[in-house]
């Protein structure tokens, strides 16, 4: 679909989108342009345009915890990067409080999969740097309070003066979460935040995120490969198809009451049905990716 067609479609189905959504993706498409320059031609390394995501529409209501699952390489990070404003949509638009997203902003905090901390800065300095970048005029007293509060929130008191290389993976991820929350974003974006952690640390951090979410009730959009993690944390689970031209296959509502306890979540009558649906989806999509690879 080209941009003009998307804009026409937007006008035609404006009523199809939620009026109360905080974040609204409307016919979002992402195309990574192929290489056709002289150098690529001479070295026979030209490539075609790659449609990663095609025509995705999704409304997210305030204070909801949304997880995105889908096979590896389907376009989850691509979608989150566009929401963060780190990369532009090729067609369609993303609206935040009815205004188009044009770049990164203090209303969205991002937790990266690979921590992305400044290695030469301590825990405190990493958080300070994020707040200063977004709010350069913060009063020094307020700044100290914000840093202290967020270090406390993620359970890192005592490690303020440590550098990232002196921290475990779980501690680094905590700094990533503290840094994202310290700018007081409306929406927290997390790209596989616990992917690199061992099972026990992962469980502890999931519980921390549940606790923080109960306290702050921010809108969260989290990418995960873990079915159990999505079921424990989310209100809604978005299941993406394989790429290229990935789209949303189905959105599941997770009806478990909060606060949730991982120990008895599977007692809920809907648990096994939801889990089976997600397993079946991931199995089907991943198998299709593998088959396409073998036949290529
Ligand atoms: N800058 C880029 N240029 C060209 N293609 C890209 C670029 N970034 C991503 N892609 C392609 O877009 C597709 C989606 O990538 P993306 O990183 O969003 O997948 P993902 O769902 O996050 O995967 P994973 O679960 O492995 O993290 C992939 O085929 C990838 O090769
Ligand atoms: Mg990714």
């Amino acid at each position: 679909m080209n941009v003009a067609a998307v804009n026409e479609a937007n006008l035609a189905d404006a009523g199809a989108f939620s009026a109360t959504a905080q974040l609204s993706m409307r016919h979002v498409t992402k195309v990574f342009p192929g290489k056709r320059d002289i150098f690529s031609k001479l070295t026979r390394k030209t490539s075609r345009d790659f449609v990663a995501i095609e025509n995705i529409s999704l409304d997210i209501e305030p204070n909801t915890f949304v997880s995105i699952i889908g096979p590896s390489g389907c376009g989850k990070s691509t979608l989150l990067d566009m929401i963060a404003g780190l990369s532009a949509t090729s067609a369609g638009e993303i609206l935040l409080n009815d205004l188009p997203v044009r770049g990164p902003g203090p209303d969205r905090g991002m937790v990266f999969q690979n921590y992305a901390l400044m290695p030469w800065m301590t825990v405190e300095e990493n958080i300070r740097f994020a707040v200063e970048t977004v709010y350069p005029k913060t009063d020094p007293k307020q700044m100290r309070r914000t840093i202290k509060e967020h270090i406390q929130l993620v359970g890192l008191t005592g490690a303020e003066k440590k550098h990232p290389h002196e921290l475990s993976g779980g501690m680094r991820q905590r700094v990533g979460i503290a840094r994202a929350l310290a700018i007081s974003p409306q929406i927290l974006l997390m790209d596989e935040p616990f992917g690199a952690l061992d099972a026990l640390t992962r469980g502890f951090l999931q519980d921390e995120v549940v606790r923080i979410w109960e306290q702050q009730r921010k809108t969260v959009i989290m990418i995960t490969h873990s079915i159990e993690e999505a079921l424990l944390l989310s209100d809604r689970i978005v299941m993406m198809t394989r790429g290229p031209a990935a789209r949303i296959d189905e959105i599941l509502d997770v009806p478990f009451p909060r606060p949730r306890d991982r120990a008895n979540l599977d007692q809920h009558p809907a648990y096994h049905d939801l889990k089976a649906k997600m397993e079946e989806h991931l199995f089907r999509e991943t198998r299709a990716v593998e088959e396409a690879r073998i036949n290529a």
Side-chain angles (χ1 to χ4, degrees):
M1 202 186 289
N2 63 29
V3 178
V6 165
N7 288 340
E8 231 167 72
N10 273 347
L11 287 178
D13 63 12
F17 293 100
S18 157
T20 52
Q22 182 177 24
L23 189 81
S24 188
M25 280 160 254
R26 301 186 173 185
H27 305 290
V28 171
T29 292
K30 180 71 181 185
V31 182
F32 291 109
K35 286 188 191 146
R36 280 181 289 267
D37 55 284
I38 299 272
F39 182 73
S40 304
K41 281 181 187 158
L42 284 174
T43 54
R44 293 174 187 263
K45 283 187 180 154
T46 53
S47 60
R48 293 185 183 171
D49 289 355
F50 182 79
V51 182
I53 283 172
E54 190 166 44
N55 198 17
I56 281 193
S57 291
L58 175 68
D59 283 328
I60 295 181
E61 304 294 326
N63 313 326
T64 32
F65 198 120
V66 178
S67 288
I68 301 177
I69 65 159
S72 185
C74 75
K76 302 178 294 296
S77 298
T78 301
L79 191 63
L80 207 69
D81 286 352
M82 287 190 287
I83 298 171
L86 298 172
S87 111
T89 59
S90 307
E93 59 181 355
I94 299 177
L95 302 177
L96 177 58
N97 302 319
D98 294 327
L99 295 173
V101 166
R102 300 254 185 259
D107 36 32
R108 282 147 295 147
M110 180 93 164
V111 179
F112 296 92
Q113 180 181 9
N114 53 2
Y115 319 124
L117 303 177
M118 311 289 176
W120 64 92
M121 291 185 185
T122 63
V123 168
E124 255 176 11
E125 287 164 352
N126 264 286
I127 300 173
R128 179 189 302 273
F129 180 72
V131 180
E132 263 170 9
T133 307
V134 176
Y135 303 110
K137 294 198 177 105
T138 309
D139 154 70
K141 217 167 157 191
Q142 173 63 36
M143 175 69 87
R144 279 197 296 276
R145 199 173 325 130
T146 303
I147 295 170
K148 193 171 171 208
E149 267 172 24
H150 285 86
I151 286 179
Q152 237 164 24
L153 185 70
V154 298
L156 275 179
T157 307
E160 294 87 343
K161 307 281 182 223
K162 292 195 171 181
H163 288 84
H165 74 270
E166 299 171 285
L167 304 174
S168 69
M171 289 165 92
R172 284 181 212 170
Q173 203 52 283
R174 283 167 198 260
V175 183
I177 295 170
R179 181 179 60 178
L181 289 173
I183 61 166
S184 230
Q186 291 176 28
I187 302 184
L188 184 63
L189 306 171
M190 303 201 283
D191 193 348
E192 293 189 49
F194 315 121
L197 306 175
D198 65 276
L200 206 62
T201 313
R202 188 175 185 138
F204 281 132
L205 261 191
Q206 286 166 351
D207 290 344
E208 290 285 276
V209 167
V210 171
R211 185 180 57 79
I212 295 169
W213 192 80
E214 295 295 344
Q215 267 180 32
Q216 305 199 346
R217 295 267 165 166
K218 286 191 186 300
T219 305
V220 180
I221 307 175
M222 177 184 79
I223 295 173
T224 179
H225 280 285
S226 161
I227 291 175
E228 288 79 12
E229 184 169 283
L231 286 168
L232 174 69
L233 298 173
S234 323
D235 298 307
R236 295 172 85 205
I237 299 171
V238 176
M239 301 200 292
M240 280 176 71
T241 65
R242 64 189 178 276
R247 52 186 175 76
I248 294 175
D249 185 44
E250 198 181 344
I251 300 174
L252 304 176
D253 285 316
V254 184
F256 315 145
R258 293 182 187 272
R260 292 178 185 168
D261 180 356
R262 69 172 65 246
N264 57 24
L265 209 60
D266 62 352
Q267 311 286 311
H268 193 282
Y271 185 89
H272 294 285
D273 239 24
L274 286 171
K275 189 167 178 224
K277 257 191 178 164
M278 292 166 76
E279 278 169 354
E280 196 265 328
H281 170 85
L282 282 179
F283 183 72
R284 188 184 65 229
E285 295 299 318
T286 307
R287 190 173 55 187
V289 172
E290 289 308 321
E291 278 172 4
R293 197 169 290 149
I294 290 164
N295 295 330

